[in-house]
């Protein structure tokens, strides 16, 4: 099969590779669409020790079951494989499973390829009329859905129902759409990149700001660098909530003194639970997360150039979807 291989920092190659190694109970899926995530970019730059080269990256995918009794079933992929037997799994917090695996990290190869392998319980059926290119957005949207849910659950009911999302990439946009879908009426997005900001203003109803203008009860940091954590610390209202998704930098930015004195709740959010993924997919298929016209579609063969353009900041769309078969 053809695949895009992460070979070394800032080095990718598109070539023939063996078919995926199948673990017990795995199902083989023909990949029809796969998105590029910020974590793929971190790996590409050599900033993610969890993704050592050589490796097939990519975990935001949708496709068609290739073999077995469900051959032909259209599916979107929950890439997080868990043990289903530990306390975290039994309590519905599968994303905290100590034995969790995710495609695009060893021992599981990713979906920047024509085929990928996953257990059947990780597959969610996609309606026949729903495009698989849009179904691949379920994974990044689920990340935003999970953060939005946790942030809203932690928000004191006496506080104004208003949020600020820092970062207008796919996860920031997913957080905005999820907050709105979960009932929050007022959500602004901070995005300093002019091209990205214009794209967002053309494709969603949020107010797009180059920098935070006022404090907010709930802030979602979808970037996760020192500067955005500092902005979140400075602009969260007393008694408010900061939900942190981004993994751009490990250290710096949080004003721990202010967060302590103002009783600010800080929540680290990682991926999603199985229920979050299911809820996101159903909202996606029902139109509850908007028209989804905010991605650019390219072929997997252009992956090397696409990563270079993303790194250079010349891609306006929050998400690029790669198609392995055209």
């Amino acid at each position: 099969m053809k695949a895009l291989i992460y070979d070394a920092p800032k080095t990718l190659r598109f070539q023939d590779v063996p078919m995926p190694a199948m673990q017990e109970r795995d199902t083989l899926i023909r990949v029809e669409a796969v998105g590029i995530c910020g974590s793929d970019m971190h790996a590409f730059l050599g900033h993610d020790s969890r993704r050592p080269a050589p490796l097939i990256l990519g975990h935001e995918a949708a496709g068609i079951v290739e073999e077995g009794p469900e051959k032909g079933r259209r599916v979107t992929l929950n890439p997080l494989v868990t043990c289903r037997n530990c306390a975290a799994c039994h309590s519905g917090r599968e994303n905290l499973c100590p034995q969790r695996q995710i495609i695009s990290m060893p021992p599981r190869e990713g979906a920047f390829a024509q085929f990928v392998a996953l257990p059947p319980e990780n597959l969610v059926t996609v309606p026949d009329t729903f495009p698989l290119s849009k179904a691949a957005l379920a994974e990044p949207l689920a990340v935003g859905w999970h953060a939005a849910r946790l942030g809203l659950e932690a928000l004191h009911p006496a506080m104004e129902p208003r949020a600020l999302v820092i970062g207008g990439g796919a996860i920031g946009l997913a957080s905005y759409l999820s907050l709105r879908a979960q009932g929050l009426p007022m959500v602004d997005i901070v995005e300093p990149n002019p091209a990205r900001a214009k794209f967002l203003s053309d494709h969603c109803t949020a107010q797009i700001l180059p920098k935070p203008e006022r404090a907010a009860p709930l802030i979602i940091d979808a970037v996760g660098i020192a500067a955005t954590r500092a902005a979140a610390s400075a602009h969260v209202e007393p008694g408010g909530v900061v939900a942190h998704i981004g993994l751009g930098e490990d250290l710096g930015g949080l004003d721990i003194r202010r967060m302590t004195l103002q009783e600010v709740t800080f929540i680290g959010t990682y991926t999603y639970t199985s229920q979050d993924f299911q809820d996101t997919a159903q909202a996606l298929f029902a139109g509850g997360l908007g028209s989804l016209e905010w991605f650019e579609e390219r072929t997997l063969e252009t992956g090397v150039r696409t990563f270079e353009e993303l790194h250079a900041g010349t891609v306006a769309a929050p998400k690029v979807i790669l198609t392995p078969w055209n």
Side-chain angles (χ1 to χ4, degrees), residues 53-67:
L55 184 67
I56 302 175
L57 301 172
H59 59 272
E60 305 175 353
I64 300 170
V65 174
E66 179 68 12
E67 58 188 20

Side-chain angles (χ1 to χ4, degrees), residues 164-241:
L164 180 69
V165 175
I166 300 177
I171 300 303
L173 182 53
S175 301
Y176 161 78
L177 293 170
S178 298
L179 287 165
R180 294 295 303 273
Q182 294 178 43
L184 201 70
M186 296 175 286
V187 187
D188 296 335
I189 300 175
V190 172
E191 177 49 62
N193 182 305
R196 177 67 56 78
K198 183 179 185 308
F199 189 98
L200 290 171
S201 65
D202 290 343
H203 290 82
C204 69
T205 59
Q207 182 178 4
I208 313 301
L209 309 171
K211 60 183 181 179
E213 292 183 351
R214 59 172 176 159
L218 171 59
I219 295 184
I220 293 184
D221 182 353
V223 181
I225 61 174
T228 57
R229 285 190 288 270
S233 298
H235 289 88
V236 63
E237 289 184 0
V241 178

Side-chain angles (χ1 to χ4, degrees), residues 63-309:
I64 300 170
V65 174
E66 179 68 12
E67 58 188 20
E70 294 196 308
K71 181 176 180 178
R73 177 187 170 198
R74 304 170 81 249
V75 293
T76 187
L77 280 54
N78 178 344
L80 195 65
V81 182
T82 59
C83 76
R84 297 185 169 260
N85 291 315
C86 67
C89 288
H90 283 307
S91 63
R93 305 178 77 191
E94 300 91 346
N95 58 323
L96 302 181
C97 173
Q99 299 181 55
R100 69 192 180 216
Q101 300 176 353
I102 189 168
I103 59 172
S104 79
M105 289 186 196
R108 290 186 175 271
E109 297 281 6
F112 287 152
Q114 291 178 318
F115 295 94
V116 70
L118 271 174
E121 57 265 23
N122 286 68
L123 309 180
V124 176
T125 299
V126 177
D128 289 341
T129 57
F130 198 85
L132 289 173
S133 56
K134 292 184 177 181
L137 298 173
E139 198 281 339
L141 285 165
V143 174
W145 186 279
H146 180 68
R149 178 177 65 79
L150 293 182
L152 291 172
E153 288 175 355
L155 192 65
H156 193 281
M159 300 198 78
E160 183 182 11
R162 182 168 53 84
L164 180 69
V165 175
I166 300 177
I171 300 303
L173 182 53
S175 301
Y176 161 78
L177 293 170
S178 298
L179 287 165
R180 294 295 303 273
Q182 294 178 43
L184 201 70
M186 296 175 286
V187 187
D188 296 335
I189 300 175
V190 172
E191 177 49 62
N193 182 305
R196 177 67 56 78
K198 183 179 185 308
F199 189 98
L200 290 171
S201 65
D202 290 343
H203 290 82
C204 69
T205 59
Q207 182 178 4
I208 313 301
L209 309 171
K211 60 183 181 179
E213 292 183 351
R214 59 172 176 159
L218 171 59
I219 295 184
I220 293 184
D221 182 353
V223 181
I225 61 174
T228 57
R229 285 190 288 270
S233 298
H235 289 88
V236 63
E237 289 184 0
V241 178
V242 174
H244 189 275
I245 312 174
L247 292 170
E249 289 177 347
D250 292 346
L251 302 174
L254 281 183
D255 185 343
I256 299 299
R257 181 177 177 81
R258 180 173 190 270
M259 295 180 71
T260 300
L261 294 176
Q262 301 291 354
E263 290 196 351
V264 171
T265 298
F266 179 90
I267 304 173
T269 74
Y270 175 71
T271 63
Y272 32 74
T273 67
S274 178
Q275 189 62 56
D276 285 326
F277 194 94
Q278 290 279 352
D279 291 344
T280 303
Q282 297 315 311
L284 179 71
F285 303 149
L289 291 167
S291 64
L292 309 173
E293 303 296 337
W294 40 267
F295 66 90
E296 181 180 339
E297 198 167 332
R298 302 185 181 189
T299 65
L300 185 64
E301 191 172 3
T302 69
V304 175
R305 175 170 55 83
T306 299
F307 266 80
E308 291 170 351
E309 291 177 7

